[in-house]
Amino acid sequence: MSFDAIVIGAGHNGLVCAAYLAKHGQRVLVVESQDRCGGLASQHEFHDGYRCANAQHVSHFPERISKDLNLVKHGFDGAYADIPLTWLNPDADGAHIALVDGHLSGVDAGEQAAYQQYRHLLRRIASMLAPFWLKTVPPIGNNHLSEMMSFAHLGLKMRALGKDDMREFLRIVALPIRDLLDEYFDHPGLKAMLSWDALIGSRQAPRSPNNSLLALLYRMADRSLTSARADSLICALEASARASGVEIRLSKRVERVTIEPRSECLCATGVELADGEHIEAVRVVSSADPKTTLLQLVGGDQLEIEFAGRINRIRDRGLVSKLHLALRTAPTFAGLEAPRGRFILAPMMDSIEWAFDDAKYGRIPQVPVLEVTLPSLADQSLAPAGGQVLSANVLYTPYAQADNWDDMTRQLLLARCLNVLEHYAPGLRDLVIGTELLTPVDLEVRYGVSGGHWHHGDIALDQLIMMRPTYGAAQYRTPISGLFLCGAGSHPGGDLTGIPGHNAAKEILR
Amino acid sequence: MKRYDAIVIGAGHNGLTNAAYLAKAGLDVLVVEKNDYIGGAAVSRELYDGWTYSNCSYVCSMMRQVLHRDLDLGRHGLMLIPYLGTINFGDAGNALISYHSKSAAYNELKRHSRHDADAKLRIRADLTRYALIIRKTLLRTPPDPAWMRIRDIRELLFLAKQFWSLGEKEIYEYVRFFTLSAADFLDEYFETDLIKASMASSGIIGTALGVHSPGSSYILLHHVMGDVDGNVGAWGLARGGMGAISKALESALRSFGGAVRSEAEVVRVLVRHGRACGVVLANGEEIHSKIVVSNLDAKRTFTKIMDKRDLPPGIFEKASKYKFHGSSGKVNIALDALPKFTGVPDNPYVNRGSQAYPGSMHTLERAFDCWKRGRFSDVPFIESVIPSAWDPTVAPPGKHWMSNFIQYCPAELSDGPWTPEKRDAFGQAVVERIEAYSPGFKDLILHMEVRTPHEIEQEVGLTEGNIFQGELTIDQLLFNRPFPGYAQYRMPVKRMYMCGSSTHPGGGVSSACGANAAREILLDLRKPSTVPEDDCDDE
């Protein structure tokens, strides 16, 4: 039996791509190595009766994809509004800062006014850039009409910002996030909180130039979803895909992409599974990261040497660890009455910078900085009655460890994380009945993501747009005819957006 | 009372160049300087009996050849002497010599790694290619992308054409190069840490970036962007010290009929009816002129010598945001004899070039970590030159003068302001580092002058002691330098201009800022330009 398309990996991008293809009448098969859909965003039980996913919140998921794939009908529960963000004051008696629906509380009027200015500027720029995330960006330098049109479009959009905004955009786009926030704000905690979304996932700290603002703007491209949970999105995507006729085979690992030389080029003909089965298809679409897809599933020997070298140099060493705690009862954060959304546990931008400094030399941070959520608040089924799940992103934990992530290093990191948590929520340590720490190496092994990197490659100027993952593969096509990329390693990048999957499907159907 | 055609504030190399080109066009020009010597940071002074210290800038490479020839600086006494090579000391007591001779350089690299010796040929070719494009933009006025005037479009098209002519693959590699960190970029070529470190160190000079900070790789171009006598990428000394450059420029200016007045500090620019019309000196004297050009950095110009009421709203804030991040220091030492270095062959290259102390990539990055925490680097990166080894005019016979450039040294310490004790501790850290590679070095010291960013700011007037008059990061380059909307040398006040390193193309003793500003001024005055077009006979 043969398919029009085989999608490797049932992560959200793989599902989005498969659903679009199936909606357009293609016979699509999704092959997933895990026993459930969702990839990095899937749920698992990490302690008796306690479940958690690595991804918690769905933010900036485009409305267009949700409508196209009828996700609400299939059970997607998202409502568009900002996810509440709270900065916890390390001083027991200090005031916390909360950001809910674009309104700050916990800072003085001057800071609030500055925030409105800052937010409006970024919103204007983000909406200028928004159309360019949801489409394929043509390569530059070959003088095609479509390419010229695309860049003329960008130029016009930029001009439409007005002279002042345009100049400001060109000035701040490469600014370290620290410099930008210093221009607007005084409160160290507020700055730490606002810098977070510009930094997380990639190898950059508040003082690193060039890359952070684009990451931030990307995350502001669409309105955020406040109540949406990652698992609800994955379930809806799976249901939508199946309803469109997509076949999903779980617990089947793709061993390699089969390649056949045709008259002019090499051509992907299907996939070979770990159990030896060979499935044929007209084309193969991989939602795995570019390194895994091209260097493992295809094999570097099938690629032109310079191209293989470019894939090999993609910076995809993850720096974020996931910490899951099974708690006996709900923790109490000092001075916080109703915890919701995300909490930033970093006293100031320099605390983030110092944590990064340790990582530069391949060591875990002395004092980790954390982003914490309590997913079981929104979904009681994640924990037994009365229990609570705490999930945290831990920065910065380098993939390549001076000590090779041995047990000692893990215990040390866990202890340091608990120290930080205990400081903000006294008594929390005694509530812990189960822990799980997933380092970048664990994420790599478990989910098959090279480097354990969320975004399948740093969000950085040189790895974005027509250079994501690298030129020659940035329009979702690869040098192997019939082999496409649709994962977070492609334009525009990671997070639970489904945009790479959407764009890849459009490109395949074109 | 005499009314000049133009007054240039500050007799640094850019101010003098600017004045020279205005005078050449027939304008009656006066340069006013607050110090009792001219040259700004391109200066040589006798601070110890018999020794001439170039106590700020110390090497020359960025000077545009075409300006050098056009102003006939050779005839006005300027002579450049190229380096022979550089010794890079590693942490493990090893050393790498970068010879200027290609075959010697290759053999030396091969001693460390054959792979890297070949990689060096590749990286040099790549960097030179990248640099050639930048070189073409140095003597041009950057376009303002927010305007759509004919000149802006023409300049934008010029830039676009330079890019497009590279071809698809090169464009991408170029963009990557501009945004990567030096460490990431060098990792793609080399396997030996000391080779990486010896190259990476030029990616941090004068800049508050570490070798792992994105954006530090294009500063590597300083290796190859300049030239000495047409040898692209060469570095050299000015005979008689860096002050010789300023003296030659002054002599050229005077030959065109211009004048220079020292010990004349400007405290205020006179503005009437929205037009600059002169300056007020510290002694209360007013000097009138048709136009005023400031060679001070952008922040000083806007916030110190301009009256806020004369400026349109919002500019003051923009100028205050302009970034400096002082990060370099300087230690000038008078030596009793040439120092000897352990572990390196005793050949002329040892002293007739520079000695650099990068150590390793981690050492360089740790030096930056100190700066981030508001301390001077305890194990700093040092670049030393001993000009007296091949220039007899700067020290008495048999004695020597050593210039040490140090990265990093913060303008503001986390434990309070700079004091003489802290300054001496900084100097001591530098001496200790050299002593480790040259036992007995301390005993050779006759006199030492330690300059932290604090001293540099006090004396030369560079804010935070930033040697480039403002950080050379992407957000402050080209049409963003010094800030968007004011990158074409014109100030918001009519008849007032900027010509310092705060403007495009930025720092380094290049004279390009001054020449570019002169071209814009003459355009406004509807006079034919005296500034030569860059011939860029690189290819």
Side-chain angles (χ1 to χ4, degrees):
Chain A
M1 188 170 93
S2 157
F3 292 89
D4 290 324
I6 295 175
V7 176
I8 302 171
H12 69 285
N13 278 316
L15 292 173
V16 167
C17 185
Y20 269 106
L21 293 178
K23 273 180 93 73
H24 285 80
Q26 303 236 317
R27 287 174 42 74
V28 185
L29 171 71
V30 178
V31 190
E32 167 61 47
S33 63
Q34 302 256 318
D35 60 358
R36 62 189 93 87
C37 289
L40 269 172
S42 62
Q43 267 186 12
H44 61 278
E45 189 173 74
F46 68 96
H47 184 78
D48 266 350
Y50 287 85
R51 286 183 301 127
C52 194
N54 297 316
Q56 306 302 341
H57 296 283
V58 183
S59 71
H60 67 109
F61 189 85
E63 235 171 332
R64 193 202 294 181
I65 298 178
S66 172
K67 278 195 186 124
D68 284 354
L69 300 182
N70 252 333
L71 294 185
V72 176
K73 203 190 96 197
H74 290 288
F76 184 43
D77 63 353
Y80 283 90
D82 281 349
I83 298 164
L85 183 63
T86 309
W87 173 79
L88 294 182
N89 196 316
D91 301 328
D93 50 354
H96 303 314
I97 302 174
L99 177 60
V100 183
D101 286 335
H103 291 286
L104 270 181
S105 55
V107 289
D108 62 35
E111 299 276 45
Q112 289 185 8
Y115 178 72
Q116 289 311 324
Q117 259 192 329
Y118 167 82
R119 179 183 154 87
H120 284 135
L121 173 69
L122 290 198
R123 278 253 161 255
R124 288 199 297 273
I125 298 175
S127 53
M128 183 270 286
L129 289 175
F132 298 93
W133 304 123
L134 258 170
K135 69 186 220 183
T136 306
V137 181
I140 43 176
N142 57 9
N143 300 327
H144 281 170
L145 185 65
S146 71
E147 160 203 325
M148 295 296 186
M149 293 294 283
S150 202
F151 293 111
H153 183 197
L154 182 62
L156 284 175
K157 285 287 262 183
M158 235 174 4
R159 282 293 294 152
L161 276 175
K163 216 180 279 174
D164 288 345
D165 276 3
M166 177 186 177
R167 283 183 178 144
E168 188 65 356
F169 169 63
L170 289 174
R171 182 181 75 91
I172 65 176
V173 68
L175 217 53
I177 196 68
R178 181 181 199 267
D179 289 347
L180 180 65
L181 294 174
D182 275 347
E183 287 178 9
Y184 282 87
F185 309 106
D186 290 321
H187 194 299
L190 177 62
K191 289 190 271 193
M193 173 171 104
L194 294 176
S195 69
W196 193 267
D197 282 347
L199 304 174
I200 192 163
S202 299
R203 197 179 64 185
Q204 57 210 11
R207 288 182 196 246
S208 312
N210 290 1
N211 303 327
S212 40
L213 191 79
L214 278 173
L216 189 61
L217 290 170
Y218 170 51
R219 292 188 167 120
M220 294 176 76
D222 227 288
R223 289 177 298 151
S224 313
L225 295 143
T226 173
S227 57
R229 297 193 315 271
D231 60 309
S232 130
L233 173 67
I234 298 300
C235 290
L237 279 174
E238 184 182 351
S240 165
R242 286 191 196 272
S244 311
V246 174
E247 186 183 335
I248 302 175
R249 289 194 202 163
L250 299 173
S251 306
K252 296 275 187 195
R253 205 164 63 79
V254 173
E255 188 68 29
R256 64 190 190 92
V257 175
T258 52
I259 308 260
E260 213 172 76
R262 297 252 166 91
S263 56
E264 287 283 293
C265 57
L266 295 174
C267 206
T269 57
V271 297
E272 193 179 298
L273 303 184
D275 57 17
E277 189 186 347
H278 180 244
I279 313 173
E280 286 196 350
V282 179
R283 59 186 69 84
V284 177
V285 190
S286 173
S287 73
D289 66 273
K291 245 186 218 176
T292 306
T293 305
L294 290 159
L295 299 185
Q296 284 180 30
L297 301 182
V298 171
D301 51 348
Q302 306 279 5
L303 302 168
E304 187 244 325
I305 187 162
E306 209 181 52
F307 180 80
R310 294 211 300 273
I311 295 296
N312 204 29
R313 76 186 183 190
I314 295 171
R315 296 195 307 285
D316 63 354
R317 296 298 181 84
L319 279 164
V320 188
S321 290
K322 292 295 305 190
L323 173 69
H324 300 138
L325 298 180
L327 303 177
R328 198 175 297 122
T329 58
T332 319
F333 288 94
L336 193 69
E337 280 170 17
R340 57 189 181 128
R342 312 184 287 151
F343 315 113
I344 305 298
L345 274 56
M348 53 185 177
M349 286 194 289
D350 271 350
S351 334
I352 305 177
E353 189 77 36
W354 305 159
F356 179 71
D357 279 351
D358 291 319
K360 285 192 302 199
Y361 307 108
R363 287 195 302 265
I364 54 168
Q366 290 290 331
V367 184
V369 287
L370 308 177
E371 175 192 329
V372 173
T373 56
L374 300 166
S376 47
L377 284 177
D379 182 2
Q380 264 306 326
S381 70
L382 292 177
Q388 199 76 257
V389 174
L390 183 148
S391 164
N393 294 321
V394 184
L395 297 186
Y396 290 89
T397 59
Y399 171 88
Q401 258 293 315
D403 307 312
N404 268 331
W405 283 115
D406 54 16
D407 272 352
M408 264 257 294
T409 315
R410 282 164 200 274
Q411 288 307 322
L412 199 61
L413 178 61
L414 181 62
R416 286 177 184 171
C417 289
L418 285 175
N419 279 345
V420 172
L421 286 165
E422 176 78 18
H423 177 86
Y424 287 90
L428 179 135
R429 204 193 300 265
D430 301 329
L431 303 177
V432 177
I433 52 175
T435 63
E436 180 186 51
L437 180 68
L438 296 172
T439 67
V441 173
D442 301 324
L443 294 171
E444 176 178 72
V445 171
R446 189 184 286 193
Y447 299 99
V449 183
S450 171
H453 199 299
W454 271 17
H455 297 303
H456 295 189
D458 277 355
I459 301 246
L461 269 177
D462 63 301
Q463 295 193 157
L464 275 181
I465 319 177
M466 51 275 193
M467 287 181 287
R468 190 167 185 88
T470 183
Y471 55 93
Q475 286 73 37
Y476 308 96
R477 288 181 187 78
T478 65
I480 309 283
S481 163
L483 176 67
F484 292 81
L485 297 172
C486 76
S490 295
H491 172 76
D495 291 348
L496 280 171
T497 66
I499 302 177
H502 162 271
N503 291 358
K506 289 267 135 107
E507 204 57 27
I508 292 165
L509 292 168
R510 203 156 63 103
Chain B
M1 200 174 110
K2 177 165 182 174
R3 183 166 178 236
Y4 289 92
D5 290 330
I7 291 176
V8 179
I9 305 168
H13 68 279
N14 275 315
L16 291 169
T17 306
N18 183 267
Y21 277 111
L22 295 183
K24 196 180 170 191
L27 269 61
D28 190 5
V29 186
L30 175 70
V31 182
V32 285
E33 163 62 42
K34 75 163 176 158
N35 287 319
D36 59 358
Y37 53 88
I38 63 148
V43 68
S44 302
R45 297 165 65 201
E46 186 167 308
L47 296 177
Y48 182 61
D49 217 12
W51 269 263
T52 307
Y53 286 7
S54 296
N55 61 349
C56 292
S57 63
Y58 58 102
V59 289
C60 178
S61 169
M62 305 288 287
M63 184 85 184
R64 300 304 299 144
Q65 271 304 306
V66 63
L67 302 180
H68 188 304
R69 282 196 299 266
D70 186 69
L71 292 175
D72 220 352
L73 296 185
R75 198 169 57 80
H76 291 288
L78 178 61
M79 180 176 164
L80 298 179
I81 319 165
Y83 274 20
L84 291 184
T86 303
I87 299 175
N88 296 280
F89 293 104
D91 281 340
N94 50 344
L96 169 79
I97 308 184
S98 315
Y99 293 100
H100 199 73
S101 143
K102 285 195 174 95
S103 60
Y106 185 83
N107 285 331
E108 167 70 5
L109 284 164
K110 213 165 71 177
R111 199 166 63 81
H112 291 81
S113 152
R114 175 160 197 129
H115 169 271
D116 286 0
D118 292 328
K120 177 78 183 225
L121 299 178
R122 273 192 292 131
I123 200 169
R124 188 147 185 109
D126 288 351
L127 287 178
T128 306
R129 232 172 33 247
Y130 298 146
L132 290 186
I133 295 220
I134 307 269
R135 281 166 67 88
K136 284 186 188 151
T137 69
L138 295 177
L139 272 184
R140 301 182 80 97
T141 301
D144 185 343
W147 276 102
M148 281 294 158
R149 292 168 305 203
I150 291 170
R151 276 193 71 206
D152 292 312
I153 294 174
R154 200 182 65 206
E155 287 297 314
L156 269 178
L157 286 178
F158 173 81
L159 288 180
K161 195 177 137 224
Q162 297 306 314
F163 265 96
W164 244 245
S165 67
L166 288 170
E168 186 179 357
K169 176 176 166 265
E170 280 283 287
I171 294 173
Y172 292 121
E173 294 295 331
Y174 202 73
V175 174
R176 283 190 84 238
F177 171 68
F178 254 76
T179 58
L180 279 179
S181 72
D184 286 334
F185 181 70
L186 294 168
D187 275 347
E188 290 174 8
Y189 291 88
F190 300 112
E191 56 186 21
T192 314
D193 191 76
L194 180 58
I195 295 178
K196 286 188 222 170
S198 65
M199 288 202 73
S201 56
S202 65
I204 55 173
I205 283 183
T207 311
L209 293 177
V211 292
H212 283 284
S213 307
S216 54
S217 72
Y218 84 94
I219 305 177
L220 294 176
L221 285 186
H222 277 108
H223 250 337
V224 290
M225 197 144 83
D227 54 55
V228 171
D229 285 343
N231 290 316
V232 178
W235 286 86
L237 294 173
R239 185 180 158 100
M242 293 300 279
I245 295 178
S246 306
K247 283 190 194 124
L249 284 167
E250 185 199 10
S251 167
L253 166 65
R254 290 196 192 274
S255 75
F256 297 127
V260 180
R261 220 175 116 180
S262 51
E263 291 182 274
E265 184 178 359
V266 171
V267 290
R268 179 71 66 220
V269 173
L270 286 171
V271 178
R272 285 211 187 101
H273 311 300
R275 281 164 178 260
C277 58
V279 296
V280 185
L281 301 185
N283 62 9
E285 186 187 342
E286 287 191 9
I287 312 177
H288 297 273
S289 66
K290 289 184 196 146
I291 64 166
V292 177
V293 189
S294 170
N295 186 30
L296 311 185
D297 66 56
K299 192 168 179 178
R300 245 159 228 268
T301 304
F302 280 89
T303 64
K304 291 249 167 75
I305 60 168
M306 297 292 294
D307 192 330
K308 198 175 170 183
R309 286 165 299 183
D310 291 333
L311 293 168
I315 295 293
F316 200 78
E317 289 69 26
K318 264 190 188 171
S320 313
K321 278 183 196 168
Y322 183 62
K323 289 190 302 182
F324 288 93
H325 297 327
S327 58
S328 327
K330 187 85 198 291
V331 176
N332 301 300
I333 303 176
L335 293 171
D336 202 22
L338 270 181
K340 293 240 178 294
F341 297 94
T342 49
V344 290
D346 195 18
N347 66 30
Y349 297 100
V350 176
N351 289 318
R352 281 189 223 167
S354 57
Q355 302 96 42
Y357 301 77
S360 67
M361 292 298 273
H362 275 186
T363 305
L364 288 174
E365 187 66 22
R366 287 211 176 85
F368 177 55
D369 289 349
C370 288
W371 180 87
K372 284 202 289 195
R373 285 163 172 78
R375 304 194 303 259
F376 57 81
S377 309
D378 34 17
V379 182
F381 166 70
I382 306 171
E383 189 182 50
S384 316
V385 198
I386 308 178
S388 50
W390 69 115
D391 174 1
T393 64
V394 294
K399 314 283 180 191
H400 287 280
W401 172 62
M402 187 186 201
S403 152
N404 298 284
F405 172 87
I406 294 104
Q407 197 76 9
Y408 302 83
C409 183
E412 281 170 43
L413 295 169
S414 55
D415 61 352
W418 280 99
T419 59
E421 292 74 41
K422 290 179 191 169
R423 187 189 63 205
D424 292 345
F426 167 64
Q428 209 48 42
V430 174
V431 170
E432 291 296 339
R433 182 135 170 80
I434 300 174
E435 171 82 18
Y437 294 88
S438 174
F441 174 77
K442 276 189 211 168
D443 304 331
L444 300 176
I445 299 175
L446 300 173
H447 173 258
M448 194 160 106
E449 187 209 14
V450 183
R451 295 165 72 91
T452 68
H454 178 72
E455 276 80 30
I456 298 175
E457 167 154 11
Q458 291 309 312
E459 207 178 289
V460 192
L462 293 168
T463 302
E464 288 197 29
N466 187 303
I467 62 171
F468 297 138
Q469 281 200 353
E471 287 289 298
L472 285 178
T473 44
I474 295 181
D475 53 293
Q476 297 194 156
L477 281 182
L478 207 65
F479 43 73
N480 285 336
R481 193 167 185 89
F483 26 85
Y486 294 95
Q488 297 178 333
Y489 310 94
R490 290 173 188 82
M491 300 262 297
V493 172
K494 277 189 191 135
R495 299 294 187 208
M496 169 111 196
Y497 300 82
M498 284 178 280
C499 74
S501 300
S502 280
T503 58
H504 171 80
V509 185
S510 72
S511 283
C513 307
N516 286 344
R519 191 180 48 239
E520 293 301 310
I521 293 167
L522 294 173
L523 186 75
D524 284 0
L525 296 177
R526 297 175 199 279
K527 285 191 181 278
S529 176
T530 48
V531 182
E533 294 235 340
D534 209 346
D535 44 7
C536 273
D537 49 358
D538 291 333
E539 279 85 353

